[in-house]
Amino acid sequence: LQKILILLQVTLSVIVGKTLMILFPNAMKRYILKMGEKSRMNRNPKFSYENWGPTFFSFKYLQFVLKVKWKRLEDEAYEGHPAPNTPVVTLGGEVCHVLDFMKDNRPLILNFGSCT
């Protein structure tokens, strides 16, 4: 049921977004660029709007958003229940899962941070 609701919500937003891009291309470009500022995507000189902007509200965009949202349904953590075995990428580019780092009965500690 959750997947169906997500499908309907994302499909509707893609249809509305695509329609607005056709009817008001300049306004939608400004809106998408503003979203890019929030995610800092605009700071990368290799990314120009012409490279990624038109992909918004496309069929591939719909597929990607659905895949991410459906995957997140499986990644919910609840107190007292086992942790989700979320996929991660090592610094070497290898895809594995969080629980792959467990060693015997030792606790696994995840430390999140950032460097700028």
Side-chain angles (χ1 to χ4, degrees), residues 77-95:
Y78 300 99
E79 187 175 342
H81 291 84
N85 197 13
T86 305
V88 294
V89 179
T90 66
L91 292 174
E94 178 188 351
V95 177

mmCIF file with all atom_site columns, all heavy atoms in Angstrom, residues 77-95:
data_model
loop_
_atom_site.group_PDB
_atom_site.id
_atom_site.type_symbol
_atom_site.label_atom_id
_atom_site.label_alt_id
_atom_site.label_comp_id
_atom_site.label_asym_id
_atom_site.label_entity_id
_atom_site.label_seq_id
_atom_site.pdbx_PDB_ins_code
_atom_site.Cartn_x
_atom_site.Cartn_y
_atom_site.Cartn_z
_atom_site.occupancy
_atom_site.B_iso_or_equiv
_atom_site.pdbx_formal_charge
_atom_site.auth_seq_id
_atom_site.auth_comp_id
_atom_site.auth_asym_id
_atom_site.auth_atom_id
_atom_site.pdbx_PDB_model_num
ATOM 1   N N   . ALA A 1 77 ? 14.522 2.377  10.918 1.00 0.00 ? 77 ALA A N   1
ATOM 2   C CA  . ALA A 1 77 ? 15.050 1.762  12.139 1.00 0.00 ? 77 ALA A CA  1
ATOM 3   C C   . ALA A 1 77 ? 14.068 2.004  13.280 1.00 0.00 ? 77 ALA A C   1
ATOM 4   O O   . ALA A 1 77 ? 13.512 3.093  13.415 1.00 0.00 ? 77 ALA A O   1
ATOM 5   C CB  . ALA A 1 77 ? 16.407 2.357  12.473 1.00 0.00 ? 77 ALA A CB  1
ATOM 6   N N   . TYR A 1 78 ? 13.870 0.981  14.078 1.00 0.00 ? 78 TYR A N   1
ATOM 7   C CA  . TYR A 1 78 ? 12.972 1.080  15.219 1.00 0.00 ? 78 TYR A CA  1
ATOM 8   C C   . TYR A 1 78 ? 13.706 0.638  16.470 1.00 0.00 ? 78 TYR A C   1
ATOM 9   O O   . TYR A 1 78 ? 14.449 -0.354 16.453 1.00 0.00 ? 78 TYR A O   1
ATOM 10  C CB  . TYR A 1 78 ? 11.730 0.201  15.009 1.00 0.00 ? 78 TYR A CB  1
ATOM 11  C CG  . TYR A 1 78 ? 10.933 0.600  13.786 1.00 0.00 ? 78 TYR A CG  1
ATOM 12  C CD1 . TYR A 1 78 ? 11.075 -0.092 12.580 1.00 0.00 ? 78 TYR A CD1 1
ATOM 13  C CD2 . TYR A 1 78 ? 10.042 1.661  13.829 1.00 0.00 ? 78 TYR A CD2 1
ATOM 14  C CE1 . TYR A 1 78 ? 10.350 0.263  11.465 1.00 0.00 ? 78 TYR A CE1 1
ATOM 15  C CE2 . TYR A 1 78 ? 9.314  2.033  12.711 1.00 0.00 ? 78 TYR A CE2 1
ATOM 16  C CZ  . TYR A 1 78 ? 9.476  1.338  11.537 1.00 0.00 ? 78 TYR A CZ  1
ATOM 17  O OH  . TYR A 1 78 ? 8.768  1.694  10.430 1.00 0.00 ? 78 TYR A OH  1
ATOM 18  N N   . GLU A 1 79 ? 13.484 1.363  17.561 1.00 0.00 ? 79 GLU A N   1
ATOM 19  C CA  . GLU A 1 79 ? 14.137 1.035  18.828 1.00 0.00 ? 79 GLU A CA  1
ATOM 20  C C   . GLU A 1 79 ? 13.783 -0.387 19.249 1.00 0.00 ? 79 GLU A C   1
ATOM 21  O O   . GLU A 1 79 ? 12.627 -0.804 19.205 1.00 0.00 ? 79 GLU A O   1
ATOM 22  C CB  . GLU A 1 79 ? 13.694 2.035  19.906 1.00 0.00 ? 79 GLU A CB  1
ATOM 23  C CG  . GLU A 1 79 ? 14.437 1.872  21.197 1.00 0.00 ? 79 GLU A CG  1
ATOM 24  C CD  . GLU A 1 79 ? 14.078 2.933  22.225 1.00 0.00 ? 79 GLU A CD  1
ATOM 25  O OE1 . GLU A 1 79 ? 13.514 3.977  21.845 1.00 0.00 ? 79 GLU A OE1 1
ATOM 26  O OE2 . GLU A 1 79 ? 14.347 2.699  23.406 1.00 0.00 ? 79 GLU A OE2 1
ATOM 27  N N   . GLY A 1 80 ? 14.828 -1.132 19.624 1.00 0.00 ? 80 GLY A N   1
ATOM 28  C CA  . GLY A 1 80 ? 14.630 -2.501 20.076 1.00 0.00 ? 80 GLY A CA  1
ATOM 29  C C   . GLY A 1 80 ? 14.585 -3.529 18.962 1.00 0.00 ? 80 GLY A C   1
ATOM 30  O O   . GLY A 1 80 ? 14.456 -4.717 19.217 1.00 0.00 ? 80 GLY A O   1
ATOM 31  N N   . HIS A 1 81 ? 14.659 -3.091 17.713 1.00 0.00 ? 81 HIS A N   1
ATOM 32  C CA  . HIS A 1 81 ? 14.646 -3.996 16.566 1.00 0.00 ? 81 HIS A CA  1
ATOM 33  C C   . HIS A 1 81 ? 16.018 -3.986 15.892 1.00 0.00 ? 81 HIS A C   1
ATOM 34  O O   . HIS A 1 81 ? 16.795 -3.054 16.078 1.00 0.00 ? 81 HIS A O   1
ATOM 35  C CB  . HIS A 1 81 ? 13.576 -3.566 15.553 1.00 0.00 ? 81 HIS A CB  1
ATOM 36  C CG  . HIS A 1 81 ? 12.192 -3.763 16.054 1.00 0.00 ? 81 HIS A CG  1
ATOM 37  N ND1 . HIS A 1 81 ? 11.547 -2.835 16.863 1.00 0.00 ? 81 HIS A ND1 1
ATOM 38  C CD2 . HIS A 1 81 ? 11.320 -4.783 15.886 1.00 0.00 ? 81 HIS A CD2 1
ATOM 39  C CE1 . HIS A 1 81 ? 10.344 -3.275 17.145 1.00 0.00 ? 81 HIS A CE1 1
ATOM 40  N NE2 . HIS A 1 81 ? 10.173 -4.460 16.578 1.00 0.00 ? 81 HIS A NE2 1
ATOM 41  N N   . PRO A 1 82 ? 16.310 -4.994 15.094 1.00 0.00 ? 82 PRO A N   1
ATOM 42  C CA  . PRO A 1 82 ? 17.605 -5.009 14.391 1.00 0.00 ? 82 PRO A CA  1
ATOM 43  C C   . PRO A 1 82 ? 17.763 -3.793 13.471 1.00 0.00 ? 82 PRO A C   1
ATOM 44  O O   . PRO A 1 82 ? 16.784 -3.302 12.904 1.00 0.00 ? 82 PRO A O   1
ATOM 45  C CB  . PRO A 1 82 ? 17.553 -6.296 13.562 1.00 0.00 ? 82 PRO A CB  1
ATOM 46  C CG  . PRO A 1 82 ? 16.505 -7.141 14.201 1.00 0.00 ? 82 PRO A CG  1
ATOM 47  C CD  . PRO A 1 82 ? 15.520 -6.188 14.818 1.00 0.00 ? 82 PRO A CD  1
ATOM 48  N N   . ALA A 1 83 ? 18.997 -3.338 13.339 1.00 0.00 ? 83 ALA A N   1
ATOM 49  C CA  . ALA A 1 83 ? 19.287 -2.193 12.470 1.00 0.00 ? 83 ALA A CA  1
ATOM 50  C C   . ALA A 1 83 ? 19.144 -2.618 11.015 1.00 0.00 ? 83 ALA A C   1
ATOM 51  O O   . ALA A 1 83 ? 19.418 -3.770 10.669 1.00 0.00 ? 83 ALA A O   1
ATOM 52  C CB  . ALA A 1 83 ? 20.702 -1.699 12.731 1.00 0.00 ? 83 ALA A CB  1
ATOM 53  N N   . PRO A 1 84 ? 18.716 -1.692 10.151 1.00 0.00 ? 84 PRO A N   1
ATOM 54  C CA  . PRO A 1 84 ? 18.650 -2.032 8.724  1.00 0.00 ? 84 PRO A CA  1
ATOM 55  C C   . PRO A 1 84 ? 20.061 -2.222 8.162  1.00 0.00 ? 84 PRO A C   1
ATOM 56  O O   . PRO A 1 84 ? 21.000 -1.558 8.593  1.00 0.00 ? 84 PRO A O   1
ATOM 57  C CB  . PRO A 1 84 ? 17.957 -0.816 8.095  1.00 0.00 ? 84 PRO A CB  1
ATOM 58  C CG  . PRO A 1 84 ? 18.124 0.280  9.073  1.00 0.00 ? 84 PRO A CG  1
ATOM 59  C CD  . PRO A 1 84 ? 18.246 -0.351 10.432 1.00 0.00 ? 84 PRO A CD  1
ATOM 60  N N   . ASN A 1 85 ? 20.211 -3.126 7.233  1.00 0.00 ? 85 ASN A N   1
ATOM 61  C CA  . ASN A 1 85 ? 21.508 -3.409 6.630  1.00 0.00 ? 85 ASN A CA  1
ATOM 62  C C   . ASN A 1 85 ? 21.666 -2.546 5.375  1.00 0.00 ? 85 ASN A C   1
ATOM 63  O O   . ASN A 1 85 ? 21.659 -3.018 4.252  1.00 0.00 ? 85 ASN A O   1
ATOM 64  C CB  . ASN A 1 85 ? 21.630 -4.897 6.300  1.00 0.00 ? 85 ASN A CB  1
ATOM 65  C CG  . ASN A 1 85 ? 23.064 -5.302 6.055  1.00 0.00 ? 85 ASN A CG  1
ATOM 66  O OD1 . ASN A 1 85 ? 23.990 -4.571 6.351  1.00 0.00 ? 85 ASN A OD1 1
ATOM 67  N ND2 . ASN A 1 85 ? 23.240 -6.484 5.504  1.00 0.00 ? 85 ASN A ND2 1
ATOM 68  N N   . THR A 1 86 ? 21.838 -1.263 5.591  1.00 0.00 ? 86 THR A N   1
ATOM 69  C CA  . THR A 1 86 ? 21.876 -0.262 4.537  1.00 0.00 ? 86 THR A CA  1
ATOM 70  C C   . THR A 1 86 ? 23.132 -0.397 3.677  1.00 0.00 ? 86 THR A C   1
ATOM 71  O O   . THR A 1 86 ? 24.216 -0.590 4.203  1.00 0.00 ? 86 THR A O   1
ATOM 72  C CB  . THR A 1 86 ? 21.849 1.145  5.177  1.00 0.00 ? 86 THR A CB  1
ATOM 73  O OG1 . THR A 1 86 ? 20.719 1.229  6.029  1.00 0.00 ? 86 THR A OG1 1
ATOM 74  C CG2 . THR A 1 86 ? 21.772 2.232  4.145  1.00 0.00 ? 86 THR A CG2 1
ATOM 75  N N   . PRO A 1 87 ? 22.998 -0.259 2.349  1.00 0.00 ? 87 PRO A N   1
ATOM 76  C CA  . PRO A 1 87 ? 24.193 -0.289 1.506  1.00 0.00 ? 87 PRO A CA  1
ATOM 77  C C   . PRO A 1 87 ? 25.048 0.961  1.717  1.00 0.00 ? 87 PRO A C   1
ATOM 78  O O   . PRO A 1 87 ? 24.521 2.053  1.935  1.00 0.00 ? 87 PRO A O   1
ATOM 79  C CB  . PRO A 1 87 ? 23.647 -0.331 0.079  1.00 0.00 ? 87 PRO A CB  1
ATOM 80  C CG  . PRO A 1 87 ? 22.195 -0.129 0.159  1.00 0.00 ? 87 PRO A CG  1
ATOM 81  C CD  . PRO A 1 87 ? 21.774 -0.176 1.584  1.00 0.00 ? 87 PRO A CD  1
ATOM 82  N N   . VAL A 1 88 ? 26.357 0.786  1.670  1.00 0.00 ? 88 VAL A N   1
ATOM 83  C CA  . VAL A 1 88 ? 27.313 1.888  1.800  1.00 0.00 ? 88 VAL A CA  1
ATOM 84  C C   . VAL A 1 88 ? 28.404 1.697  0.747  1.00 0.00 ? 88 VAL A C   1
ATOM 85  O O   . VAL A 1 88 ? 28.589 0.616  0.214  1.00 0.00 ? 88 VAL A O   1
ATOM 86  C CB  . VAL A 1 88 ? 27.946 1.952  3.209  1.00 0.00 ? 88 VAL A CB  1
ATOM 87  C CG1 . VAL A 1 88 ? 26.920 2.303  4.263  1.00 0.00 ? 88 VAL A CG1 1
ATOM 88  C CG2 . VAL A 1 88 ? 28.627 0.643  3.570  1.00 0.00 ? 88 VAL A CG2 1
ATOM 89  N N   . VAL A 1 89 ? 29.125 2.780  0.482  1.00 0.00 ? 89 VAL A N   1
ATOM 90  C CA  . VAL A 1 89 ? 30.227 2.727  -0.473 1.00 0.00 ? 89 VAL A CA  1
ATOM 91  C C   . VAL A 1 89 ? 31.509 3.052  0.273  1.00 0.00 ? 89 VAL A C   1
ATOM 92  O O   . VAL A 1 89 ? 31.592 4.061  0.976  1.00 0.00 ? 89 VAL A O   1
ATOM 93  C CB  . VAL A 1 89 ? 30.016 3.732  -1.623 1.00 0.00 ? 89 VAL A CB  1
ATOM 94  C CG1 . VAL A 1 89 ? 31.173 3.689  -2.615 1.00 0.00 ? 89 VAL A CG1 1
ATOM 95  C CG2 . VAL A 1 89 ? 28.697 3.460  -2.333 1.00 0.00 ? 89 VAL A CG2 1
ATOM 96  N N   . THR A 1 90 ? 32.506 2.184  0.138  1.00 0.00 ? 90 THR A N   1
ATOM 97  C CA  . THR A 1 90 ? 33.788 2.411  0.813  1.00 0.00 ? 90 THR A CA  1
ATOM 98  C C   . THR A 1 90 ? 34.554 3.507  0.080  1.00 0.00 ? 90 THR A C   1
ATOM 99  O O   . THR A 1 90 ? 34.199 3.899  -1.035 1.00 0.00 ? 90 THR A O   1
ATOM 100 C CB  . THR A 1 90 ? 34.639 1.128  0.828  1.00 0.00 ? 90 THR A CB  1
ATOM 101 O OG1 . THR A 1 90 ? 34.993 0.815  -0.523 1.00 0.00 ? 90 THR A OG1 1
ATOM 102 C CG2 . THR A 1 90 ? 33.896 -0.031 1.463  1.00 0.00 ? 90 THR A CG2 1
ATOM 103 N N   . LEU A 1 91 ? 35.629 3.997  0.711  1.00 0.00 ? 91 LEU A N   1
ATOM 104 C CA  . LEU A 1 91 ? 36.450 5.015  0.072  1.00 0.00 ? 91 LEU A CA  1
ATOM 105 C C   . LEU A 1 91 ? 37.061 4.497  -1.228 1.00 0.00 ? 91 LEU A C   1
ATOM 106 O O   . LEU A 1 91 ? 37.376 5.269  -2.127 1.00 0.00 ? 91 LEU A O   1
ATOM 107 C CB  . LEU A 1 91 ? 37.553 5.479  1.019  1.00 0.00 ? 91 LEU A CB  1
ATOM 108 C CG  . LEU A 1 91 ? 37.068 6.257  2.248  1.00 0.00 ? 91 LEU A CG  1
ATOM 109 C CD1 . LEU A 1 91 ? 38.231 6.541  3.186  1.00 0.00 ? 91 LEU A CD1 1
ATOM 110 C CD2 . LEU A 1 91 ? 36.387 7.544  1.837  1.00 0.00 ? 91 LEU A CD2 1
ATOM 111 N N   . GLY A 1 92 ? 37.198 3.195  -1.350 1.00 0.00 ? 92 GLY A N   1
ATOM 112 C CA  . GLY A 1 92 ? 37.721 2.588  -2.568 1.00 0.00 ? 92 GLY A CA  1
ATOM 113 C C   . GLY A 1 92 ? 36.673 2.397  -3.652 1.00 0.00 ? 92 GLY A C   1
ATOM 114 O O   . GLY A 1 92 ? 36.970 1.894  -4.726 1.00 0.00 ? 92 GLY A O   1
ATOM 115 N N   . GLY A 1 93 ? 35.417 2.766  -3.365 1.00 0.00 ? 93 GLY A N   1
ATOM 116 C CA  . GLY A 1 93 ? 34.347 2.658  -4.348 1.00 0.00 ? 93 GLY A CA  1
ATOM 117 C C   . GLY A 1 93 ? 33.598 1.340  -4.330 1.00 0.00 ? 93 GLY A C   1
ATOM 118 O O   . GLY A 1 93 ? 32.710 1.117  -5.142 1.00 0.00 ? 93 GLY A O   1
ATOM 119 N N   . GLU A 1 94 ? 33.930 0.457  -3.388 1.00 0.00 ? 94 GLU A N   1
ATOM 120 C CA  . GLU A 1 94 ? 33.260 -0.845 -3.294 1.00 0.00 ? 94 GLU A CA  1
ATOM 121 C C   . GLU A 1 94 ? 31.923 -0.690 -2.578 1.00 0.00 ? 94 GLU A C   1
ATOM 122 O O   . GLU A 1 94 ? 31.837 -0.035 -1.541 1.00 0.00 ? 94 GLU A O   1
ATOM 123 C CB  . GLU A 1 94 ? 34.155 -1.813 -2.518 1.00 0.00 ? 94 GLU A CB  1
ATOM 124 C CG  . GLU A 1 94 ? 33.553 -3.176 -2.323 1.00 0.00 ? 94 GLU A CG  1
ATOM 125 C CD  . GLU A 1 94 ? 34.380 -4.056 -1.394 1.00 0.00 ? 94 GLU A CD  1
ATOM 126 O OE1 . GLU A 1 94 ? 35.514 -3.667 -1.039 1.00 0.00 ? 94 GLU A OE1 1
ATOM 127 O OE2 . GLU A 1 94 ? 33.886 -5.116 -1.015 1.00 0.00 ? 94 GLU A OE2 1
ATOM 128 N N   . VAL A 1 95 ? 30.882 -1.288 -3.134 1.00 0.00 ? 95 VAL A N   1
ATOM 129 C CA  . VAL A 1 95 ? 29.560 -1.255 -2.496 1.00 0.00 ? 95 VAL A CA  1
ATOM 130 C C   . VAL A 1 95 ? 29.438 -2.464 -1.585 1.00 0.00 ? 95 VAL A C   1
ATOM 131 O O   . VAL A 1 95 ? 29.683 -3.600 -1.988 1.00 0.00 ? 95 VAL A O   1
ATOM 132 C CB  . VAL A 1 95 ? 28.436 -1.267 -3.550 1.00 0.00 ? 95 VAL A CB  1
ATOM 133 C CG1 . VAL A 1 95 ? 27.074 -1.304 -2.877 1.00 0.00 ? 95 VAL A CG1 1
ATOM 134 C CG2 . VAL A 1 95 ? 28.537 -0.057 -4.457 1.00 0.00 ? 95 VAL A CG2 1
#
